[in-house]
Amino acid sequence: MPGMLTVGQLARLRAAKGRAFEGLFLRSMIRHHQGALTMVAQLYARNGGTEPAVDAFARHVQADQEIEIGRMRGLLAKLG
């Protein structure tokens, strides 16, 4: 599934402390949210989402994930 952390990435996250943890966590979550955007794109590329409820859900997911990615990028910028 796109955006999921590997065992190694989870271990690095577990070992990180302080600002290093915060940066690693935010970068990991951005990738995770981008994975959701990839799944939405794949849905539409395969002609999915023609049902109104599925289309509405996919659009909601896309909008929410884009907002969250923007917020997390802002937090990363503050970390420096």
Side-chain angles (χ1 to χ4, degrees):
M1 186 178 289
M4 298 301 288
L5 294 177
T6 65
V7 172
Q9 290 169 323
L10 285 170
R12 283 191 294 280
L13 185 61
R14 191 176 303 113
K17 304 289 183 228
R19 291 175 79 86
F21 171 83
E22 292 171 6
L24 186 56
F25 176 79
L26 288 168
R27 285 188 297 278
S28 297
M29 288 305 297
I30 289 169
R31 279 192 305 275
H32 182 72
H33 283 58
Q34 288 170 331
L37 295 175
T38 297
M39 289 189 286
V40 168
Q42 289 172 343
L43 172 74
Y44 287 122
R46 294 180 179 134
N47 297 317
T50 56
E51 304 84 2
V54 173
D55 180 52
F57 176 75
R59 290 180 189 278
H60 181 76
V61 166
Q62 183 175 15
D64 284 353
Q65 299 307 295
E66 288 173 351
I67 290 167
E68 291 301 316
I69 288 168
R71 287 179 181 157
M72 288 183 284
R73 285 182 175 154
L75 290 170
L76 262 179
K78 288 180 184 178
L79 283 177

